[in-house]
């Protein structure tokens, strides 16, 4: 069980684990060997930074000492070695051991005590997962207190804050690995097992996993450690699914994180993970869609195309936006006009991303909604075609080629037909080789589509004949 837990939440890193662990340890070491006289730390993206500390205190804060309850750490018997009546008392004693916190920047410091806590956490996880006995309400409260003591903490300054530079590309930064992860991961696993357990009564658990607890969980999404964000994503998603009373609050709290990211800080490590949770939530929206959900699309999701690091979470953002259009096609023109509003002007890489997203949205767009926005849309496409960036033409033409061909073949309006012919001719003269490639791909797609329709029609005819034969 321990090995399975240790492997949970691991994600592929940009460098080897050894290098990253070394970086993490270096960031956690004391400040004695680093000059901080010229470093300005901006904690704007860290709302939990203590506001009452002076700049000097925030810059050169000492390592947090181990906070320990009264008593000493000692090995306790396993649950299977005591009577059933004694297990709740033993559970509480094990929780108290796990309240000890250690300095993981020094691997040689208190190794025996760290090992005891590790083993105790593994036993607690196994006890919850095995369902060998319901935890008393008092023990549930103490368990959430222990979990809170371990996971809720001030996150270290982001990498760019340590250097005083705001121009570092987040995609090029090395991910920071939390030194205390050997214990932190097990604490997260314990919380996850408690939330998903069939023995957990939500009426009782919601007293401890309350709005304050959820809000502090959301604060931790700004952790630079991707392993921690992965656990947080899974846990918050499970909480959303199990605690219906928390659902409006969670959506509103995520909205607030997005607003602060868009309009204030421009930096947040967990936007992608939060969007992954929302992708699942949006998929479950009932129709007709509530007005609050439409406002969320217009005021939060679409403006998320504006920040500079959009490439880091664009895949998840595009999925959320497309989900809205697929569930309610009437929102298509709202989305398209929103994309045009936040269209990248100087960043061609972002422009290529938006063009790809636009293709997915257009596939779910109906004719009425398309006509409302087609004039400003094609004006923007024309501007993109004139871009000197080599990728734009290669991206745009495959997106619109099928629509151009269908317009020429079957559009009822003569003016639209004439404009389409002119655009088609312009593409042909601009890049004949690319035009021929798109034409070949279009013909192949149309052939496969007709072939599939013929196969379906043949099957229906066979079914109708078989039904008629049985009826006769």
């Amino acid at each position: 069980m321990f090995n399975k837990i240790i492997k949970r939440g691991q994600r592929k890193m940009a460098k080897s684990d050894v290098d990253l662990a070394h970086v993490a340890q270096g960031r956690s070491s004391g400040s004695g060997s680093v000059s901080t006289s010229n470093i300005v730390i901006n904690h704007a993206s860290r709302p939990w930074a203590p506001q009452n500390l002076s700049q000097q205190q925030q810059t050169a804060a000492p390592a947090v000492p181990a906070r320990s309850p009264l008593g000493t750490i000692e090995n306790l018997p396993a649950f299977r070695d005591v009577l059933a009546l004694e297990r709740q008392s033993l559970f509480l004693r094990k929780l108290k051991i796990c309240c000890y916190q250690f300095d993981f920047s020094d691997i040689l410091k208190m190794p025996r005590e760290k090992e005891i806590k590790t083993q105790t956490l593994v036993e607690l996880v196994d006890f919850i997962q095995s369902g060998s006995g319901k935890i008393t309400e008092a023990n549930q409260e103490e368990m959430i207190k222990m979990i809170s003591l371990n996971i809720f903490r001030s996150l270290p300054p982001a990498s760019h804050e340590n250097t005083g530079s705001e121009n570092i590309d987040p995609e090029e930064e090395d991910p920071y690995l939390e030194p205390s992860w050997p214990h932190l991961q097990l604490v997260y696993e314990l919380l996850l097992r408690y939330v998903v357990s069939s023995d957990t009564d939500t009426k009782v658990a919601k007293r401890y996993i309350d709005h304050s607890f959820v809000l502090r969980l959301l604060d931790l999404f700004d952790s630079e450690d991707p392993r921690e964000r992965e656990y947080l994503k899974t846990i918050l998603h499970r909480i959303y699914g199990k605690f219906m009373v928390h659902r409006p609050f969670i959506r509103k709290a995520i909205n607030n994180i997005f607003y602060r990211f868009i309009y204030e800080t421009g930096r947040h490590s967990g936007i992608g993970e939060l969007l992954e949770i929302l992708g699942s939530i949006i998929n479950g929206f009932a129709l007709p869609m509530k007005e609050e959900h439409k406002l969320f699309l217009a005021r939060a999701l679409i403006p998320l195309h504006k920040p500079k690091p959009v490439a880091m979470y664009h895949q998840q953002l595009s999925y959320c936006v497309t989900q809205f259009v697929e569930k309610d096609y009437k929102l298509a023109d709202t989305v398209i006009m929103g994309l045009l509003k936040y269209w990248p002007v100087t960043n061609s890489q972002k422009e290529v991303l938006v063009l790809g997203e636009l293709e997915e949205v257009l596939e779910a767009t109906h004719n009425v909604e398309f006509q409302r926005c087609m004039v400003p849309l094609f004006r923007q496409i024309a501007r993109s075609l004139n871009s000197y960036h080599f990728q734009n033409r290669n991206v745009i033409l495959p997106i619109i080629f099928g629509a151009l061909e269908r317009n020429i073949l079957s559009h009822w309006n003569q003016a639209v037909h004439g404009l389409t012919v002119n655009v088609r001719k312009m593409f042909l003269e601009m890049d004949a080789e690319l035009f021929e490639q798109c034409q070949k791909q279009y013909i192949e797609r149309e052939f496969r589509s007709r072939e599939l329709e013929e196969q379906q029609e043949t099957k229906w005819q066979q079914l109708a004949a078989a039904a008629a034969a049985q009826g006769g």
Side-chain angles (χ1 to χ4, degrees):
M1 180 64 196
F2 176 72
N3 290 332
K4 290 182 180 179
I5 293 171
I6 291 300
K7 291 179 181 178
R8 263 187 85 88
Q10 301 296 324
R11 296 176 67 179
K12 188 175 180 180
M13 303 299 169
K15 291 187 176 183
S16 69
D17 289 341
V18 174
D19 291 341
L20 291 172
H22 177 73
V23 173
Q25 185 176 348
R27 290 183 182 175
S28 303
S29 60
S31 57
S33 60
V34 180
S35 173
T36 60
S37 58
N38 296 322
I39 296 177
V40 178
I41 296 185
N42 175 17
H43 288 284
S45 63
R46 304 277 157 156
W48 44 82
Q51 300 298 319
N52 57 346
L53 295 181
S54 67
Q55 180 177 330
Q56 183 179 3
Q57 287 174 309
Q58 291 187 29
T59 305
V64 178
R67 289 177 289 169
S68 306
L70 295 175
T72 57
I73 287 188
E74 58 179 337
N75 276 314
L76 295 176
F79 286 107
R80 63 177 179 272
D81 296 333
V82 301
L83 298 175
L85 293 174
E86 298 176 358
R87 287 175 183 168
Q88 294 297 324
S89 174
L90 179 61
F91 188 89
L92 181 60
R93 292 170 65 195
K94 288 181 182 290
L95 287 177
K96 290 182 177 179
I97 285 178
C98 296
C99 289
Y100 282 83
Q101 293 182 292
F102 303 100
D103 178 10
F104 278 85
S105 61
D106 184 355
I107 59 174
L108 300 178
K109 192 174 182 179
M110 305 180 74
R112 174 183 168 277
E113 288 81 359
K114 290 175 183 176
E115 180 58 33
I116 291 176
K117 181 178 178 180
T118 298
Q119 185 57 39
T120 304
L121 283 167
V122 171
E123 291 173 4
L124 289 172
V125 172
D126 283 337
F127 186 79
I128 296 289
Q129 190 172 16
S130 66
S132 55
K134 287 188 177 181
I135 310 171
T136 65
E137 186 173 340
N139 277 356
Q140 290 182 52
E141 182 178 8
E142 292 302 317
M143 182 176 67
I144 297 301
K145 286 181 180 178
M146 181 276 289
I147 291 171
S148 301
L149 181 67
N150 279 275
I151 67 174
F152 297 141
R153 65 208 190 279
S154 293
L155 297 176
S159 302
H160 74 284
E161 293 175 348
N162 280 331
T163 61
S165 172
E166 294 287 345
N167 298 320
I168 298 177
D169 186 350
E171 293 184 272
E172 297 179 359
E173 291 180 11
D174 293 332
Y176 168 77
L177 296 183
E178 174 61 51
S180 63
W181 187 246
H183 286 178
L184 201 58
Q185 179 180 6
L186 291 168
V187 176
Y188 276 123
E189 187 69 25
L190 179 63
L191 175 58
L192 175 61
R193 293 301 158 197
Y194 172 68
V195 171
V196 303
S197 173
S198 58
D199 291 328
T200 300
D201 184 350
T202 55
K203 292 181 180 179
V204 174
K206 72 179 181 181
R207 299 172 190 168
Y208 317 117
I209 301 181
D210 55 9
H211 284 181
S212 175
F213 185 88
V214 169
L215 202 58
R216 296 176 78 185
L217 272 184
L218 284 165
D219 283 343
L220 290 172
F221 272 85
D222 202 14
S223 168
E224 288 192 74
D225 193 323
R227 303 168 301 181
E228 183 169 15
R229 298 198 305 270
E230 190 69 20
Y231 259 101
L232 287 165
K233 179 185 71 176
T234 304
I235 291 168
L236 187 67
H237 193 194
R238 295 289 189 169
I239 290 175
Y240 187 92
K242 190 161 188 172
F243 296 80
M244 294 187 66
V245 68
H246 291 335
R247 290 183 181 182
F249 178 81
I250 290 174
R251 293 197 301 269
K252 184 177 180 180
I254 293 176
N255 274 9
N256 291 336
I257 291 174
F258 287 166
Y259 294 151
R260 194 166 187 273
F261 168 67
I262 296 166
Y263 301 110
E264 294 182 24
T265 65
R267 299 284 300 213
H268 196 285
S269 300
I271 299 297
E273 285 81 5
L274 291 171
L275 285 169
E276 284 187 47
I277 296 171
L278 285 170
S280 178
I281 292 173
I282 295 166
N283 193 35
F285 282 167
L287 295 176
M289 198 172 291
K290 293 180 180 179
E291 191 63 27
E292 67 168 289
H293 301 329
K294 296 178 184 179
L295 289 174
F296 167 68
L297 169 66
R299 295 179 180 178
L301 285 186
I302 291 177
L304 274 173
H305 292 82
K306 178 183 177 181
K308 290 181 180 179
V310 63
M312 297 186 66
Y313 56 81
H314 184 266
Q315 182 179 355
Q316 297 93 329
L317 176 60
S318 178
Y319 177 77
C320 288
V321 171
T322 307
Q323 284 282 299
F324 268 100
V325 180
E326 289 179 351
K327 292 189 76 70
D328 186 353
Y329 65 88
K330 294 180 181 178
L331 294 172
D333 59 319
T334 300
V335 169
I336 293 172
M337 295 303 295
L339 292 176
L340 293 177
K341 179 181 179 181
Y342 294 103
W343 197 275
V345 177
T346 59
N347 191 325
S348 55
Q349 292 179 335
K350 285 175 65 175
E351 190 171 12
V352 171
L353 291 175
V354 176
L355 284 166
E357 181 179 355
L358 183 62
E359 179 180 12
E360 296 182 17
V361 172
L362 287 173
E363 288 178 357
T365 303
H366 290 204
N367 191 44
V368 174
E369 286 69 34
F370 178 72
Q371 288 186 354
R372 290 177 188 162
C373 58
M374 66 179 184
V375 173
L377 171 62
F378 276 92
R379 283 176 180 166
Q380 179 58 59
I381 288 177
R383 288 193 290 269
S384 297
L385 285 171
N386 291 326
S387 168
Y388 288 102
H389 191 264
F390 74 97
Q391 290 191 46
N392 283 354
R393 186 186 306 159
N394 293 337
V395 172
I396 293 172
L397 186 54
I399 291 174
I400 67 172
F401 191 88
L404 294 175
E405 294 297 298
R406 286 189 287 272
N407 273 4
I408 291 174
L409 291 173
S410 59
H411 202 284
W412 62 272
N413 188 288
Q414 191 62 35
V416 173
H417 184 275
L419 287 170
T420 304
V421 171
N422 291 337
V423 172
R424 186 180 187 275
K425 182 180 178 182
M426 178 184 69
F427 272 116
L428 178 59
E429 293 174 351
M430 189 180 296
D431 194 333
E433 183 179 351
L434 176 61
F435 185 92
E436 290 176 4
Q437 291 176 2
C438 293
Q439 189 174 45
K440 181 180 179 181
Q441 293 171 0
Y442 172 75
I443 292 172
E444 290 175 354
R445 285 198 302 270
E446 289 296 301
F447 176 77
R448 288 196 298 269
S449 178
R450 285 195 298 270
E451 199 175 47
L452 182 60
E453 289 178 2
E454 290 173 1
Q455 292 174 0
Q456 291 175 340
E457 182 63 27
T458 301
K459 288 181 180 179
W460 278 114
Q461 291 176 357
Q462 292 173 348
L463 289 171
Q470 291 180 356

